[in-house]
Amino acid sequence: QVQVVESGGGTVQAGGSLRLSCVASGGLFGINDMGWYRQAPGKQRELVADITRGGSANYEDSVKDRFTISRDNSRNTVYLQMIGLKPEDTTVYYCNADAGLRRYWGQGTQVTVSS
């Protein structure tokens, strides 16, 4: 069983920065793709950014100039560096880890951007 734990959320003013972290642990096999998703009230969960095991990253268009996703050397942690935060970025951010036969979700971390 893989455990996925996010951290780093908080409250910042518009234009501020946050770095989210996600640790995936407990699996017998290596983690493949990892990604960050967000879900606003009344909307379905959507991809923010994801990254392959080899380090190839993709971004949702509205964040690609402001957010950077990365993985550490052990491939068990993924980060989302967020700069130039906007009020519309406010929501819960979820980490996803693909372990091959199953995808695991974290509990989410709240990001709030005030104007």
Side-chain angles (χ1 to χ4, degrees), residues 16-79:
S17 301
L18 286 171
R19 189 181 75 165
L20 307 184
S21 299
C22 170
V23 179
S25 61
L28 292 176
F29 304 99
I31 303 298
N32 298 314
D33 289 12
M34 300 184 75
W36 288 97
Y37 295 72
R38 62 188 179 187
Q39 187 169 17
K43 298 183 65 178
Q44 62 186 2
R45 191 169 298 183
E46 65 178 11
L47 175 70
V48 177
D50 61 9
I51 186 168
T52 69
R53 190 170 183 269
S56 296
N58 295 285
Y59 300 90
E60 194 275 326
D61 190 64
S62 69
V63 308
K64 64 180 181 181
D65 295 326
R66 300 181 294 121
F67 294 4
T68 302
I69 189 170
S70 61
R71 302 174 68 140
D72 73 359
N73 291 334
S74 67
R75 300 294 190 271
N76 68 345
T77 303
V78 63
Y79 304 95

